[in-house]
């Protein structure tokens, strides 16, 4: 078992990496080399960049959610895993959108991997059904809103 201090460092590093990826995905529209990088892999980044939640681009929500994770980790640790469960639910919706659009987005896949790492290093045994419920509630809500708002 990984010691708690090492696990905490990994979690902070993963949250910081996720924040960086979310910011880069937003900058891809305005920074030519990021746009070229995405275009060299597929057109999926451009297609998924148009997806919104409450009329805000998904990357802004990513920055906000990673910021919330960092605040919860540092100030409200008892809420951290509940927020992780909610973020996993929203991330599952982003993956669903990517597959439904048949668009490969390197930033979406990178964020998924980071979220899965955060989930793996923050899993707790107490109240698993609560976490599953939070994850599913946020998946269903974000899926319904994004589908309706973006005509998917």
């Amino acid at each position: 078992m990984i010691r708690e201090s090492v696990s905490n460092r990994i979690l902070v590093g993963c949250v910081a990496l996720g924040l960086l990826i979310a910011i880069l995905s937003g900058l891809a529209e305005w920074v030519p080399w990021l746009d070229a990088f995405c275009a060299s892999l597929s057109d999926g980044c451009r297609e998924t960049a148009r997806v919104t939640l409450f009329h805000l681009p998904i990357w802004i929500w990513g920055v906000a959610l990673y910021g919330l994770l960092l605040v919860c980790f540092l100030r409200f640790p008892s809420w951290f895993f509940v927020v992780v469960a909610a973020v996993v639910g929203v991330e599952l919706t982003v993956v669903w959108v990517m597959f439904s659009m048949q668009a490969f987005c390197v930033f979406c896949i990178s964020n998924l991997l980071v979220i899965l790492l955060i989930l793996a290093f923050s899993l707790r045994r107490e109240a698993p059904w609560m976490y599953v419920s939070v994850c599913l509630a946020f998946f269903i809500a974000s899926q319904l809103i994004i589908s309706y708002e973006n005509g998917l």
Side-chain angles (χ1 to χ4, degrees):
M1 187 108 199
I2 296 177
R3 288 190 9 222
E4 190 172 333
S5 64
V6 173
S7 180
N8 286 347
R9 287 185 194 143
I10 292 171
L11 283 171
V12 170
C14 286
V15 170
L17 179 62
L19 187 60
L20 177 66
I21 292 169
I23 291 169
L24 288 174
S25 69
L27 291 176
E29 294 181 62
W30 298 289
V31 178
W33 67 268
L34 278 173
D35 186 47
F37 171 72
C38 291
S40 70
L41 298 171
S42 77
D43 290 333
C45 291
R46 287 189 188 117
E47 292 176 39
T48 57
R50 294 179 300 199
V51 177
T52 60
L53 175 63
F54 296 119
H55 303 289
L56 290 174
I58 293 293
W59 72 268
I60 291 175
W61 287 101
V63 170
L65 290 174
Y66 282 115
L68 179 62
L69 280 173
L70 192 57
V71 168
C72 283
F73 185 80
L74 297 174
R75 293 287 184 204
F76 310 103
S78 62
W79 281 90
F80 181 74
F81 195 69
V82 175
V83 175
V84 169
V87 171
V88 169
V90 174
E91 188 63 31
L92 290 174
T93 298
V94 172
V95 171
W96 173 84
V97 166
M98 199 175 60
F99 280 110
S100 69
M101 294 175 75
Q102 296 179 346
F104 172 80
C105 171
V106 67
F107 292 118
C108 299
I109 298 296
S110 299
N111 264 320
L112 175 65
L113 294 174
V114 169
I115 289 297
L116 291 176
L117 279 172
I118 291 171
L119 180 65
F121 282 99
S122 65
L123 278 176
R124 295 190 179 163
R125 292 180 190 222
E126 60 271 346
W129 292 111
M130 180 184 72
Y131 302 124
V132 171
S133 299
V134 169
C135 177
L136 289 176
F138 274 81
F139 170 71
I140 292 168
S142 61
Q143 200 273 337
L144 289 172
I145 295 166
I146 288 174
S147 295
Y148 177 76
E149 189 173 301
N150 295 281
L152 299 174

